[in-house]
Amino acid sequence: MTSAQTMTAPSTSRYTILDRPGFRLGALLGRWESMLALLLIAVFAVNGALLPHFLDLDNLADGTFNFSEKALLALPMALLIICREIDISVAGILALSSVAMGLANSAGWPPESLFLVALLTGMACGALNGVLVTHFALPSIVVTIGTVSVFRGLASVVLGDQAFTGYPQQMADWGQGYFFGVLPREFTVLLLCAALFAFVLHATSWGRRIYAIGNNPVAARFSGIAVERYRFMLFVLAGAMAGLAAFLLTGRIGSTRPNIAMGWELEAITMVILGGVSIAGGIGTIGGVMLAVLTLGAVTFGLSLANVPGIYMTIAVGVLLLVAIALPRLFRRRQVAK
């Protein structure tokens, strides 16, 4: 072997190892979820360095209350967007479900029934959205922009300038309580729901059909998939999850007011899009959505510890939404240009 060959051998060997079919480091680092994981680590590192109490376990546990209910809205939203639909009315459904619980509680219904009231109210609102979209072939964004005004309007008419209070202790236990004094109940519910959604979407034929509908609804329909039935069920599911979020949020704050969960639909959509779900449909994972949830939660928690006003948090959420939508398009354009 010549001296030149001896000098180039190490670099050639290294190149061969990196290019083996089984070596997936490049593909792994190129995944959106990997970028989110690195961003989450960076957020924790920066906040931990700048804010002395950020990494305190009790503070981190308390911080999960700020995003758990919003994340429950984001999980079904992810399925809807993968399926080329969207639901702008989820926060309005949450408000109306909370009002329904307030009415039932004021009428003396037993505490155990309030969760069922919220769930059924949410499902009824979701079913209305589903019927309008699937049976009347109306665009979901137009339908849900209309119904969010209806749901918010009904809640405001019932409440006026008043508020429902005096909810039973059982609701406060779920909205504010901890399992074993360590793990927040709301966050536990979120983790269980995320695991269930991930299993259904990524490990069942039901999930594969959702991806098929999102990629090409016409082809999915010709292949025998009941496209409209799946879309309808997803809207009902979004309503049910809004009812669950209403139960937890109402128990946590102990009251129902006309402005409850105002603007949460934007934050739920931001979590989904930042999590790598394509607004064009057919692409996305629950893992990515949960990474986005944790990242946004860490950012907002850090800002609150730094006493940053809420309006700046809203601006930050809006900027993240624009970046999450724009970045994938820019990457695709660069790949096409190459």
Side-chain angles (χ1 to χ4, degrees):
M1 181 180 292
T2 65
S3 58
Q5 288 173 323
T6 304
M7 294 175 61
T8 58
S11 61
T12 304
S13 175
R14 184 169 179 266
Y15 178 83
T16 304
I17 292 172
L18 290 174
D19 274 11
R20 285 178 184 171
F23 193 87
R24 302 296 183 187
L25 180 59
L28 179 63
L29 294 178
R31 288 174 58 86
W32 186 263
E33 290 85 354
S34 301
M35 295 173 60
L36 281 175
L38 293 174
L39 178 60
L40 178 60
I41 294 171
V43 169
F44 266 79
V46 171
N47 283 336
L50 298 178
L51 303 169
H53 302 292
F54 179 81
L55 295 179
D56 182 83
L57 292 180
D58 291 334
N59 285 341
L60 288 175
D62 291 341
T64 63
F65 289 108
N66 295 325
F67 62 80
S68 292
E69 300 110 349
K70 299 170 188 175
L72 289 172
L73 301 180
L75 292 175
M77 186 75 74
L79 302 189
L80 278 168
I81 294 179
I82 289 173
C83 210
R84 294 193 183 186
E85 302 293 347
I86 198 167
D87 189 348
I88 307 294
S89 70
V90 285
I93 295 175
L94 189 159
L96 191 58
S97 298
S98 184
V99 167
M101 283 192 296
L103 291 172
N105 186 56
S106 300
W109 288 33
E112 297 78 13
S113 67
L114 298 184
F115 172 71
L116 189 60
V117 168
L119 199 66
L120 291 177
T121 302
M123 292 176 68
C125 294
L128 174 61
N129 287 335
V131 167
L132 292 174
V133 171
T134 59
H135 289 269
F136 293 93
L138 299 175
S140 58
I141 189 169
V142 175
V143 167
T144 55
I145 286 174
T147 55
V148 69
S149 300
V150 172
F151 301 150
R152 281 281 179 194
L154 288 173
S156 298
V157 167
V158 172
L159 285 171
D161 58 353
Q162 304 299 314
F164 286 127
T165 56
Y167 286 102
Q169 183 60 37
Q170 290 93 319
M171 288 184 62
D173 290 341
W174 277 101
Q176 305 171 6
Y178 290 77
F179 285 119
F180 312 111
V182 177
L183 193 61
R185 291 192 177 189
E186 282 194 353
F187 189 58
T188 305
V189 171
L190 170 62
L191 293 178
L192 292 174
C193 288
L196 180 60
F197 272 72
F199 173 77
V200 171
L201 182 62
H202 303 301
T204 68
S205 59
W206 205 81
R208 289 191 292 272
R209 288 168 185 167
I210 290 177
Y211 280 116
I213 294 170
N215 280 303
N216 193 326
V218 176
R221 188 176 289 109
F222 278 107
S223 67
I225 298 175
V227 173
E228 306 308 328
R229 186 177 68 186
Y230 275 88
R231 285 174 169 165
F232 176 80
M233 288 191 296
L234 288 179
F235 279 106
V236 174
L237 178 61
M241 293 298 289
L244 172 60
F247 177 80
L248 295 173
L249 176 61
T250 306
R252 179 164 66 86
I253 64 178
S255 65
T256 300
R257 302 182 184 277
N259 64 344
I260 188 172
M262 185 71 74
W264 279 22
E265 61 278 346
L266 173 63
E267 296 192 46
I269 293 170
T270 302
M271 291 173 177
V272 173
I273 303 302
L274 183 61
V277 177
S278 172
I279 197 69
I283 298 173
T285 65
I286 297 300
V289 173
M290 286 303 296
L291 283 170
V293 166
L294 295 175
T295 301
L296 282 174
V299 169
T300 54
F301 179 54
L303 292 174
S304 65
L305 283 181
N307 295 318
V308 175
I311 185 62
Y312 293 108
M313 297 186 193
T314 303
I315 293 173
V317 169
V319 170
L320 281 173
L321 178 58
L322 292 174
V323 170
I325 293 175
L327 275 182
R329 294 179 180 271
L330 292 176
F331 287 151
R332 282 196 295 269
R333 288 182 180 178
R334 289 186 62 184
Q335 290 175 353
V336 170
K338 291 178 180 180

Short mmCIF file of all heavy atoms in Angstrom, two decimals, residues 6-47:
data_model
loop_
_atom_site.label_atom_id
_atom_site.label_comp_id
_atom_site.label_asym_id
_atom_site.label_seq_id
_atom_site.Cartn_x
_atom_site.Cartn_y
_atom_site.Cartn_z
N THR A 6 -2.38 4.92 2.25
CA THR A 6 -2.41 4.81 3.71
C THR A 6 -3.06 6.03 4.33
O THR A 6 -3.84 5.94 5.28
CB THR A 6 -0.98 4.66 4.25
OG1 THR A 6 -0.38 3.54 3.64
CG2 THR A 6 -1.00 4.47 5.77
N MET A 7 -2.82 7.21 3.80
CA MET A 7 -3.38 8.44 4.35
C MET A 7 -4.87 8.54 4.12
O MET A 7 -5.61 9.05 4.93
CB MET A 7 -2.67 9.66 3.75
CG MET A 7 -1.20 9.78 4.14
SD MET A 7 -0.39 11.13 3.29
CE MET A 7 -1.34 12.52 3.87
N THR A 8 -5.36 8.04 2.99
CA THR A 8 -6.78 8.17 2.67
C THR A 8 -7.62 7.05 3.24
O THR A 8 -8.83 7.15 3.27
CB THR A 8 -6.99 8.22 1.15
OG1 THR A 8 -6.45 7.01 0.59
CG2 THR A 8 -6.30 9.42 0.54
N ALA A 9 -6.99 5.98 3.70
CA ALA A 9 -7.76 4.82 4.18
C ALA A 9 -8.69 5.14 5.33
O ALA A 9 -9.85 4.74 5.32
CB ALA A 9 -6.80 3.68 4.55
N PRO A 10 -8.22 5.87 6.38
CA PRO A 10 -9.11 6.13 7.50
C PRO A 10 -10.36 6.89 7.10
O PRO A 10 -11.46 6.56 7.50
CB PRO A 10 -8.23 6.94 8.46
CG PRO A 10 -6.83 6.58 8.10
CD PRO A 10 -6.85 6.36 6.64
N SER A 11 -10.22 7.93 6.27
CA SER A 11 -11.38 8.71 5.87
C SER A 11 -12.33 7.89 5.03
O SER A 11 -13.54 8.00 5.15
CB SER A 11 -10.95 9.98 5.12
OG SER A 11 -10.24 9.62 3.96
N THR A 12 -11.79 7.04 4.17
CA THR A 12 -12.66 6.19 3.35
C THR A 12 -13.42 5.22 4.22
O THR A 12 -14.62 4.97 4.02
CB THR A 12 -11.81 5.41 2.32
OG1 THR A 12 -11.06 6.34 1.56
CG2 THR A 12 -12.68 4.58 1.41
N SER A 13 -12.74 4.64 5.23
CA SER A 13 -13.40 3.70 6.13
C SER A 13 -14.52 4.38 6.89
O SER A 13 -15.61 3.83 7.04
CB SER A 13 -12.37 3.12 7.10
OG SER A 13 -12.99 2.30 8.06
N ARG A 14 -14.28 5.59 7.36
CA ARG A 14 -15.30 6.31 8.11
C ARG A 14 -16.49 6.64 7.22
O ARG A 14 -17.65 6.52 7.61
CB ARG A 14 -14.69 7.61 8.66
CG ARG A 14 -15.62 8.41 9.54
CD ARG A 14 -14.86 9.52 10.24
NE ARG A 14 -15.73 10.32 11.07
CZ ARG A 14 -16.32 11.44 10.68
NH1 ARG A 14 -16.10 11.88 9.45
NH2 ARG A 14 -17.09 12.13 11.49
N TYR A 15 -16.25 7.02 6.01
CA TYR A 15 -17.33 7.33 5.07
C TYR A 15 -18.18 6.10 4.83
O TYR A 15 -19.41 6.17 4.78
CB TYR A 15 -16.71 7.84 3.76
CG TYR A 15 -17.73 8.14 2.69
CD1 TYR A 15 -18.39 9.36 2.67
CD2 TYR A 15 -18.03 7.19 1.71
CE1 TYR A 15 -19.33 9.65 1.70
CE2 TYR A 15 -18.96 7.47 0.73
CZ TYR A 15 -19.60 8.70 0.73
OH TYR A 15 -20.52 8.97 -0.23
N THR A 16 -17.53 4.93 4.70
CA THR A 16 -18.27 3.69 4.45
C THR A 16 -19.18 3.34 5.62
O THR A 16 -20.33 2.94 5.44
CB THR A 16 -17.30 2.53 4.20
OG1 THR A 16 -16.44 2.89 3.11
CG2 THR A 16 -18.04 1.25 3.85
N ILE A 17 -18.70 3.51 6.85
CA ILE A 17 -19.52 3.20 8.02
C ILE A 17 -20.75 4.09 8.07
O ILE A 17 -21.87 3.64 8.32
CB ILE A 17 -18.68 3.36 9.30
CG1 ILE A 17 -17.60 2.29 9.35
CG2 ILE A 17 -19.55 3.29 10.55
CD1 ILE A 17 -16.61 2.48 10.49
N LEU A 18 -20.55 5.39 7.81
CA LEU A 18 -21.69 6.32 7.89
C LEU A 18 -22.71 6.05 6.81
O LEU A 18 -23.89 6.38 6.97
CB LEU A 18 -21.19 7.77 7.76
CG LEU A 18 -20.40 8.29 8.96
CD1 LEU A 18 -19.84 9.67 8.63
CD2 LEU A 18 -21.28 8.37 10.20
N ASP A 19 -22.28 5.48 5.68
CA ASP A 19 -23.18 5.27 4.57
C ASP A 19 -23.77 3.87 4.52
O ASP A 19 -24.45 3.52 3.56
CB ASP A 19 -22.46 5.55 3.24
CG ASP A 19 -22.53 7.03 2.91
OD1 ASP A 19 -22.94 7.80 3.80
OD2 ASP A 19 -22.18 7.40 1.78
N ARG A 20 -23.49 3.04 5.50
CA ARG A 20 -24.10 1.72 5.50
C ARG A 20 -25.61 1.83 5.61
O ARG A 20 -26.12 2.72 6.30
CB ARG A 20 -23.56 0.89 6.66
CG ARG A 20 -22.14 0.39 6.44
CD ARG A 20 -21.68 -0.37 7.66
NE ARG A 20 -20.29 -0.79 7.52
CZ ARG A 20 -19.59 -1.31 8.51
NH1 ARG A 20 -20.15 -1.45 9.70
NH2 ARG A 20 -18.33 -1.67 8.32
N PRO A 21 -26.37 0.91 4.99
CA PRO A 21 -27.83 0.97 5.08
C PRO A 21 -28.34 0.92 6.51
O PRO A 21 -29.37 1.49 6.83
CB PRO A 21 -28.27 -0.26 4.27
CG PRO A 21 -27.13 -0.55 3.35
CD PRO A 21 -25.90 -0.15 4.09
N GLY A 22 -27.65 0.23 7.40
CA GLY A 22 -28.13 0.10 8.77
C GLY A 22 -27.82 1.32 9.64
O GLY A 22 -28.28 1.41 10.76
N PHE A 23 -26.99 2.24 9.14
CA PHE A 23 -26.62 3.40 9.94
C PHE A 23 -27.62 4.52 9.69
O PHE A 23 -27.67 5.07 8.60
CB PHE A 23 -25.21 3.86 9.58
CG PHE A 23 -24.65 4.83 10.57
CD1 PHE A 23 -23.99 4.38 11.70
CD2 PHE A 23 -24.81 6.19 10.37
CE1 PHE A 23 -23.47 5.27 12.60
CE2 PHE A 23 -24.30 7.09 11.28
CZ PHE A 23 -23.63 6.63 12.41
N ARG A 24 -28.42 4.86 10.71
CA ARG A 24 -29.55 5.78 10.52
C ARG A 24 -29.36 7.12 11.22
O ARG A 24 -30.31 7.82 11.47
CB ARG A 24 -30.84 5.12 11.05
CG ARG A 24 -31.18 3.79 10.40
CD ARG A 24 -31.47 3.96 8.93
NE ARG A 24 -31.87 2.69 8.30
CZ ARG A 24 -32.05 2.55 7.01
NH1 ARG A 24 -31.85 3.58 6.21
NH2 ARG A 24 -32.41 1.39 6.50
N LEU A 25 -28.11 7.47 11.59
CA LEU A 25 -27.91 8.70 12.34
C LEU A 25 -28.37 9.91 11.54
O LEU A 25 -29.06 10.79 12.07
CB LEU A 25 -26.44 8.84 12.73
CG LEU A 25 -26.08 10.11 13.53
CD1 LEU A 25 -26.87 10.15 14.83
CD2 LEU A 25 -24.59 10.16 13.80
N GLY A 26 -27.99 9.98 10.28
CA GLY A 26 -28.38 11.12 9.47
C GLY A 26 -29.89 11.24 9.33
O GLY A 26 -30.46 12.32 9.45
N ALA A 27 -30.54 10.09 9.09
CA ALA A 27 -31.99 10.11 8.97
C ALA A 27 -32.65 10.48 10.29
O ALA A 27 -33.65 11.21 10.33
CB ALA A 27 -32.49 8.72 8.51
N LEU A 28 -32.06 10.00 11.39
CA LEU A 28 -32.62 10.31 12.71
C LEU A 28 -32.55 11.79 13.00
O LEU A 28 -33.52 12.41 13.45
CB LEU A 28 -31.87 9.52 13.78
CG LEU A 28 -32.32 9.74 15.24
CD1 LEU A 28 -33.76 9.29 15.43
CD2 LEU A 28 -31.40 9.01 16.19
N LEU A 29 -31.38 12.40 12.73
CA LEU A 29 -31.22 13.82 13.00
C LEU A 29 -32.06 14.67 12.05
O LEU A 29 -32.34 15.83 12.35
CB LEU A 29 -29.74 14.21 12.91
CG LEU A 29 -28.83 13.60 13.97
CD1 LEU A 29 -27.39 14.01 13.74
CD2 LEU A 29 -29.27 14.00 15.37
N GLY A 30 -32.43 14.11 10.91
CA GLY A 30 -33.24 14.86 9.96
C GLY A 30 -34.72 14.81 10.25
O GLY A 30 -35.49 15.50 9.59
N ARG A 31 -35.13 14.01 11.23
CA ARG A 31 -36.54 13.91 11.57
C ARG A 31 -36.99 15.13 12.37
O ARG A 31 -36.24 15.66 13.19
CB ARG A 31 -36.83 12.64 12.37
CG ARG A 31 -36.73 11.36 11.55
CD ARG A 31 -36.89 10.15 12.45
NE ARG A 31 -38.15 10.17 13.17
CZ ARG A 31 -39.30 9.70 12.70
NH1 ARG A 31 -39.33 9.17 11.49
NH2 ARG A 31 -40.40 9.74 13.42
N TRP A 32 -38.23 15.56 12.14
CA TRP A 32 -38.78 16.72 12.84
C TRP A 32 -38.83 16.45 14.35
O TRP A 32 -38.55 17.34 15.15
CB TRP A 32 -40.17 17.01 12.31
CG TRP A 32 -40.78 18.27 12.85
CD1 TRP A 32 -41.65 18.38 13.89
CD2 TRP A 32 -40.55 19.61 12.38
NE1 TRP A 32 -41.98 19.70 14.11
CE2 TRP A 32 -41.33 20.47 13.19
CE3 TRP A 32 -39.77 20.15 11.36
CZ2 TRP A 32 -41.34 21.85 13.00
CZ3 TRP A 32 -39.80 21.52 11.18
CH2 TRP A 32 -40.58 22.35 11.99
N GLU A 33 -39.17 15.21 14.73
CA GLU A 33 -39.25 14.87 16.15
C GLU A 33 -37.88 15.00 16.83
O GLU A 33 -37.80 15.41 17.98
CB GLU A 33 -39.79 13.44 16.33
CG GLU A 33 -41.25 13.27 15.99
CD GLU A 33 -41.47 13.04 14.50
OE1 GLU A 33 -40.47 13.13 13.74
OE2 GLU A 33 -42.61 12.76 14.10
N SER A 34 -36.82 14.65 16.11
CA SER A 34 -35.48 14.79 16.67
C SER A 34 -35.13 16.25 16.89
O SER A 34 -34.52 16.62 17.92
CB SER A 34 -34.45 14.15 15.75
OG SER A 34 -34.73 12.78 15.54
N MET A 35 -35.51 17.11 15.96
CA MET A 35 -35.27 18.54 16.12
C MET A 35 -36.04 19.07 17.33
O MET A 35 -35.51 19.89 18.10
CB MET A 35 -35.68 19.28 14.85
CG MET A 35 -34.84 18.94 13.62
SD MET A 35 -35.49 19.67 12.11
CE MET A 35 -35.44 21.41 12.51
N LEU A 36 -37.27 18.61 17.51
CA LEU A 36 -38.06 19.04 18.66
C LEU A 36 -37.43 18.58 19.97
O LEU A 36 -37.42 19.32 20.96
CB LEU A 36 -39.49 18.51 18.55
CG LEU A 36 -40.43 19.25 17.61
CD1 LEU A 36 -41.77 18.52 17.53
CD2 LEU A 36 -40.65 20.68 18.10
N ALA A 37 -36.93 17.34 19.98
CA ALA A 37 -36.30 16.83 21.18
C ALA A 37 -35.07 17.67 21.54
O ALA A 37 -34.85 18.01 22.72
CB ALA A 37 -35.91 15.36 20.99
N LEU A 38 -34.26 18.02 20.54
CA LEU A 38 -33.10 18.88 20.79
C LEU A 38 -33.53 20.27 21.27
O LEU A 38 -32.90 20.86 22.15
CB LEU A 38 -32.25 18.99 19.52
CG LEU A 38 -31.56 17.71 19.06
CD1 LEU A 38 -30.88 17.93 17.71
CD2 LEU A 38 -30.54 17.24 20.10
N LEU A 39 -34.61 20.78 20.68
CA LEU A 39 -35.13 22.09 21.10
C LEU A 39 -35.61 22.04 22.55
O LEU A 39 -35.36 22.97 23.33
CB LEU A 39 -36.26 22.52 20.18
CG LEU A 39 -36.95 23.86 20.51
CD1 LEU A 39 -35.94 25.00 20.47
CD2 LEU A 39 -38.11 24.12 19.56
N LEU A 40 -36.28 20.94 22.91
CA LEU A 40 -36.76 20.78 24.29
C LEU A 40 -35.59 20.76 25.28
O LEU A 40 -35.63 21.41 26.33
CB LEU A 40 -37.58 19.50 24.41
CG LEU A 40 -38.12 19.15 25.80
CD1 LEU A 40 -39.04 20.25 26.31
CD2 LEU A 40 -38.86 17.81 25.76
N ILE A 41 -34.54 20.03 24.92
CA ILE A 41 -33.34 19.99 25.78
C ILE A 41 -32.72 21.38 25.90
O ILE A 41 -32.31 21.80 26.99
CB ILE A 41 -32.32 18.98 25.20
CG1 ILE A 41 -32.88 17.56 25.29
CG2 ILE A 41 -31.00 19.07 25.95
CD1 ILE A 41 -32.05 16.53 24.56
N ALA A 42 -32.68 22.10 24.78
CA ALA A 42 -32.11 23.45 24.80
C ALA A 42 -32.93 24.38 25.68
O ALA A 42 -32.38 25.20 26.44
CB ALA A 42 -32.02 24.00 23.38
N VAL A 43 -34.26 24.28 25.59
CA VAL A 43 -35.14 25.12 26.42
C VAL A 43 -34.90 24.84 27.90
O VAL A 43 -34.79 25.76 28.72
CB VAL A 43 -36.62 24.88 26.05
CG1 VAL A 43 -37.54 25.53 27.07
CG2 VAL A 43 -36.91 25.45 24.66
N PHE A 44 -34.80 23.55 28.25
CA PHE A 44 -34.54 23.20 29.64
C PHE A 44 -33.17 23.71 30.10
O PHE A 44 -33.02 24.21 31.22
CB PHE A 44 -34.63 21.68 29.83
CG PHE A 44 -35.98 21.21 30.27
CD1 PHE A 44 -37.02 21.09 29.37
CD2 PHE A 44 -36.22 20.91 31.60
CE1 PHE A 44 -38.28 20.66 29.77
CE2 PHE A 44 -37.47 20.49 32.02
CZ PHE A 44 -38.50 20.37 31.12
N ALA A 45 -32.18 23.59 29.22
CA ALA A 45 -30.83 24.03 29.59
C ALA A 45 -30.78 25.54 29.80
O ALA A 45 -30.21 26.02 30.80
CB ALA A 45 -29.84 23.61 28.50
N VAL A 46 -31.38 26.30 28.89
CA VAL A 46 -31.36 27.77 29.01
C VAL A 46 -32.16 28.23 30.22
O VAL A 46 -31.69 29.06 31.02
CB VAL A 46 -31.91 28.40 27.72
CG1 VAL A 46 -32.09 29.91 27.90
CG2 VAL A 46 -30.98 28.13 26.54
N ASN A 47 -33.38 27.69 30.38
CA ASN A 47 -34.19 28.09 31.52
C ASN A 47 -33.55 27.68 32.84
O ASN A 47 -33.61 28.40 33.84
CB ASN A 47 -35.59 27.49 31.42
CG ASN A 47 -36.46 28.22 30.42
OD1 ASN A 47 -36.23 29.39 30.12
ND2 ASN A 47 -37.46 27.54 29.88
#
